[in-house]
Amino acid sequence: MTTSSVKEAEAGKAVPFVPGQPDMWFFALFETLVFTAYFVVYMFARMQHHEAFLQSQAKLSLSIGTFNTLVLLVSSWSMARCVKEARVGAYRSALTNAFLTASFGVVFLGSKIYEWVREIRLGYGFASDEFFSYYFFLTGIHALHLLIGFVVLGVVVHQLRSPERRSQNLVETGAVYWHTVDFLWVLVFSLLYVVR
Amino acid sequence: MNTLVKKRLLIAWLALSLMTLGYLAMDHSADRAGALRPSVAVTIGAVLIAAAKMRIIFREFMEVRHAPAWLGRLTDLCVLLLVASLLGSYFIGRAAG
C-alpha cells in the first residue's frame, strides 16, 4: 500500500487498501470470536438465573458505564485522527492525537478501577455471586487488553517521533488494535449494564 | 487531513456517542420503581445498537470502507455472527431456563 493509493481511496477513487498489517486484522477478528464465546456463555447463564442476575446488575452504576464508553469512543476518534494526520505528513498533530488517545485510555482505566473499588466496598467481589464473577472476569480481561494497548500506543509514538523510524503501516496496525479494544468494550458494556 | 475527512470522523463519533446515550433512555423505560425488570425488547435493542456501533467503528475508524471487499464482507460476517450468537444464546437460555 502506498500513501498515494490511500489518498486516492479517500478521495473516492477505487484503490482499496488494507489498513495496517493483515496479521493484526487476523488477531482482531480472532479476539472478537474469543469474546463472542465468553458472551454466549454469559448470556446463557444469565437466562438460567434471570432474576438473580437482574438484582446484581442493579448494583452497577449505568452512569459510570456510560461515561467509560464515551471516554473510550473519544480515544478511538483521536486514534483515527492520528492515522489520518500521519498519512498526510502532519506528524506533530498525529503525535498530539496519539497522546490524547493514551490520556483518554488512562481516564478510562482510572474510572474502571474506581468502579471496581466501589463495587468491592459495597460487598460485591469476584466470588459474591455469578453475575459479579462474569462482571469482574469480562471487565478484567478487557482491562488487560487496554494495558497492552498502552504498549501499542508507545510503539506508535516511538514511530512518529523520529523521521528515520516513521512507518505508516505500523501506525495503522496500532490503530487497528486500539479500535478493537474500543468495540470490545462497547459489547461488554451493553451486555453487563443494559441487557435485561 | 482535509475538512471532509475530519467532518466524517466527527459525525461517526457523534453517532456512536448518541447511540451510547440512547441506552440511558432504554434503561429508564424498562425500570419500575428503581428495580430492573426483564425486557426482551431492551435486550434485542441493546444487542442491535452494540452491533451497529461495532460496524461504524469497523467502517469509519478502522477504515474498512476503503478496504478490499473481502475485508468488508469478513467484518460484516463477524458482526452478524456476534448478533446471531448473542440473541441465540439469550433465547435458547430463556426457553431452557
Side-chain angles (χ1 to χ4, degrees):
Chain A
M1 176 194 48
T2 63
T3 305
S4 63
S5 68
V6 172
K7 283 176 183 168
E8 282 176 24
E10 287 196 342
K13 294 171 194 168
V15 187
F17 65 98
V18 176
Q21 293 171 356
D23 294 356
M24 184 55 86
W25 277 98
F26 176 77
F27 176 77
L29 296 176
F30 175 75
E31 281 297 280
T32 309
L33 287 180
V34 171
F35 270 76
T36 302
Y38 297 152
F39 296 152
V40 164
V41 174
Y42 163 76
M43 282 295 252
F44 190 81
R46 185 184 170 95
M47 296 318 291
Q48 300 304 299
H49 311 284
H50 205 176
E51 274 305 321
F53 268 66
L54 281 173
Q55 281 174 21
S56 297
Q57 185 183 351
K59 308 294 185 299
L60 297 182
S61 167
L62 183 64
S63 311
I64 297 176
T66 305
F67 172 76
N68 279 338
T69 309
L70 292 174
V71 166
L72 215 50
L73 287 173
V74 181
S75 80
S76 248
W77 179 35
S78 53
M79 191 70 228
R81 289 172 61 97
C82 169
V83 169
K84 305 273 190 193
E85 296 288 22
R87 190 171 290 149
V88 294
Y91 294 109
R92 184 180 286 268
S93 178
L95 257 177
T96 305
N97 277 293
F99 281 121
L100 276 174
T101 304
S103 305
F104 287 120
V106 169
V107 172
F108 174 89
L109 193 61
S111 174
K112 197 74 239 142
I113 291 169
Y114 165 77
E115 194 185 13
W116 285 334
V117 171
R118 176 181 172 272
E119 300 303 339
I120 290 167
R121 281 194 177 155
L122 287 171
Y124 308 109
F126 185 85
S128 298
D129 62 32
E130 210 178 342
F131 174 81
F132 276 101
S133 296
Y134 282 109
Y135 165 79
F136 280 105
F137 172 72
L138 289 172
T139 55
I141 201 143
H142 178 267
L144 182 67
H145 282 73
L146 187 81
L147 290 175
I148 297 168
F150 288 127
V151 177
V152 171
L153 279 180
V155 173
V156 169
V157 168
H158 183 69
Q159 288 290 319
L160 289 171
R161 274 205 158 147
S162 164
E164 292 86 50
R165 285 191 299 262
R166 279 170 194 154
S167 155
Q168 181 63 22
N169 195 254
L170 267 180
V171 173
E172 290 171 4
T173 303
V176 168
Y177 181 85
W178 192 264
H179 296 308
T180 303
V181 173
D182 182 27
F183 75 66
L184 288 177
W185 174 256
V186 163
L187 297 168
V188 169
F189 168 67
S190 71
L191 296 182
L192 288 176
Y193 294 76
V194 190
V195 297
R196 297 293 168 79
Chain B
M1 180 166 52
N2 69 46
T3 314
L4 196 68
V5 172
K6 273 185 189 169
K7 209 178 268 182
R8 196 168 173 115
L9 285 179
L10 176 65
I11 290 168
W13 173 74
L14 277 174
L16 290 165
S17 299
L18 285 174
M19 288 162 108
T20 303
L21 293 174
Y23 279 140
L24 292 175
M26 273 172 61
D27 189 72
H28 292 317
S29 72
D31 280 355
R32 194 73 51 88
L36 303 191
R37 298 176 66 83
S39 170
V40 174
V42 167
T43 301
I44 293 175
V47 169
L48 292 181
I49 289 174
K53 287 165 79 177
M54 190 177 166
R55 191 166 190 268
I56 292 173
I57 292 169
F58 270 136
R59 294 196 67 80
E60 301 298 328
F61 287 171
M62 297 170 89
E63 303 184 296
V64 167
R65 72 189 185 92
H66 297 307
W70 64 264
L71 188 58
R73 281 197 284 270
L74 196 61
T75 52
D76 281 349
L77 184 69
C78 206
V79 174
L80 281 176
L81 183 71
L82 183 95
V83 171
S85 303
L86 292 181
L87 293 181
S89 54
Y90 177 78
F91 284 111
I92 291 169
R94 195 163 181 260

